[in-house]
Amino acid sequence: MNKTVNQKAWFLILPVLLLVAFSAVIPLMTVVNYSVQDTFGNNQFFWAGLEWFKEMLASERMWNALGRQIAFSSIILAIEIPLGVFVALNMPKKGFWASLCLVLMSLPLLIPWNVVGTIWQIFARVDIGLLGYTLAAIGIDYNYTQDFYAAWATVIVMDVWHWTSLVALLAYAGLQSIPDAYYQAAKIDQASRWKVFRFIELPKIMGVLMIAILLRFMDSFMIYTEPFVVTGGGPGNSTTFLSIDLVKMALGQFDLGPAAAFSIMYYLVILVVSYVFYTVMTNLDKRDGY
Amino acid sequence: MSDLTQPTSAQGFALPKIKGKAIVMGLYLLFLLLPIYWLLMMSLKTNTEILNTFTLWPRDLTFDNYITILTDASWYTGYLNSMIYVVMNMVISLVVALPAAYAFSRYTFLGDKHLFFWLLTNRMAPPAVFALPFFQLYSSIGLFDTHIAVALAHCLFNVPLAVWILEGFMRGVPKEIDETAYIDGYSFPRFFVKIFTPLVASGIGVTAFFLFMFSWVELLLSRTLTSVEAKPIAATMTRTIGASGIDWGVLAAAGVLTIVPGALVIYFVRNYIAKGFALGRV
């Protein structure tokens, strides 16, 4: 659509700007403030420059948490994106069954995150959980509170359970917008199922798929509540992701300076990666003629 | 195998063929529903049964867990608190996001693209980063432990989301409608309320659904910003961990009750969910 130039449109944006300035800029500046100051208590602060940043960059603790975070986000993206597309391809196109699938699939998305944790805790415990009990019964040694691999497997399966539907729903919305004529043309050309997917469906859902990847990357990178409820970051530190570590540092130990420096670097990583996705996304939008 | 399937396919209409697609969907939905089924079953069992025997469904069915929650004020006010701040947040976010989304969908102006991305960056801000500054900010202006504090804090990620989704829907409304209305002598506010808003009603519905969803599921900020008066249900649930261990039955019942509002809301927007998740961009 052709947009007209209109500088007065700023007035329409003004309420959003004021609100976001209040709820985002002020708190963010507080963080920036802490990150460059040190304190001996009594609310007396003095300038510390980039000390905290240097300290955090040298801290093994942060690099370890970052490593775990990247591993976690990569694994869940590698599972959820293909699985979500696969599920979307198998969804009924319309009618009662389509509605039913949509409603049931959205269900996990609307469960409060700590309840998601609770559900999986109840489901996976060896003594009372269906999953844990069954695994123990068939002789698999599974205990997510003590075993490293079991803890990771539980956290990953939980995330796949929680969010694959989001990817599937996005891909489904993309698939719905493909006109029938495309499929008929493919049939006339006797294209194989794979070729139909590769040359018709995939290009058409690329745009929404980018949104899916962007959303899943952002949210998995910020994940806090679900693993915190299930594993509490353990065993040891093995499922302590960035947010869990940060909350421990800021609210638990009250190490404001390092936590603030940590926060800013954390936020920057998300921003940079998201900016890349966003640019790709808007370019795809342009190509599709928006 | 082919001999066995032959008769059924010959009859054709009598028995619908079970296709691979149905099996895939069946397995996926089973995977989704199994943990929820288990939660539901737990909530209907007594604690003795949960801890001492392993049963697939309750032997002695009990609703005591639900009765505990629905009759104890410290439990059910948690639900009310959550509802209050979620609705407040929905109203605030929609009111500020509607004009902004209109501006982004219709006009170019100085810095519009950067502004749009900057708004989105707030959706990317980890709540963990904001927990402590929010606590200090709202304490210093005397809003700590009020519903409005949580509602405003959730605007951090909900307002950008609302602008994003609404902008997607508004792009789909032809611009000629605006122009015709102006020629007919409508002022901007009147045009916006009388003509434009009804046209994007489905978009507003979908946006409201997402605002509800993200405000309802969030815990870290709402827990940090409240202590007693506005404590959300999700935070109340930690109460079940007592000296004598965890009260699994009540915990499960509280969990089931947090799923109900979401399930109700989904039912109303079921036909728009897919488009909404695509942020109006399909």
Side-chain angles (χ1 to χ4, degrees), chain A residues 37-57:
Chain A
Q37 297 187 64
D38 198 357
T39 177
F40 290 132
N42 292 335
N43 264 337
Q44 286 182 320
F45 288 92
F46 60 89
W47 178 254
L50 295 176
E51 270 317 298
W52 296 127
F53 287 91
K54 281 182 200 146
E55 190 185 312
M56 287 319 293
L57 281 175

Side-chain angles (χ1 to χ4, degrees), chain A residues 110-160:
Chain A
L110 277 138
I111 300 175
W113 294 344
N114 68 317
V115 179
V116 171
T118 308
I119 288 177
W120 276 85
Q121 203 184 12
I122 289 179
F123 191 58
R125 275 178 72 106
V126 186
D127 51 347
I128 60 169
L130 184 60
L131 178 71
Y133 191 86
T134 315
L135 286 177
I138 56 174
I140 296 171
D141 185 23
Y142 168 86
N143 188 339
Y144 69 84
T145 52
Q146 267 144 47
D147 181 49
F148 171 86
Y149 293 104
W152 266 80
T154 311
V155 172
I156 285 167
V157 173
M158 174 172 70
D159 201 79
V160 169

Side-chain angles (χ1 to χ4, degrees), chain B residues 81-116:
Chain B
N81 289 335
S82 292
M83 283 294 180
I84 292 170
Y85 72 69
V86 167
V87 171
M88 277 177 159
N89 172 270
M90 264 162 67
V91 173
I92 298 172
S93 303
L94 277 177
V95 167
V96 299
L98 271 169
Y102 179 79
F104 280 121
S105 74
R106 288 293 189 269
Y107 303 120
T108 43
F109 44 92
L110 197 65
D112 56 349
K113 292 204 177 64
H114 300 102
L115 200 61
F116 198 64

Side-chain angles (χ1 to χ4, degrees), chain B residues 190-222:
Chain B
R190 217 170 129 235
F191 154 75
F192 198 79
V193 176
K194 290 257 168 182
I195 297 178
F196 195 73
T197 312
L199 279 177
V200 289
S202 63
I204 295 175
V206 171
T207 313
F209 166 76
F210 281 91
L211 297 176
F212 170 89
M213 167 175 156
F214 283 106
S215 184
W216 179 253
V217 299
E218 208 279 335
L219 174 72
L220 182 57
L221 291 178
S222 55

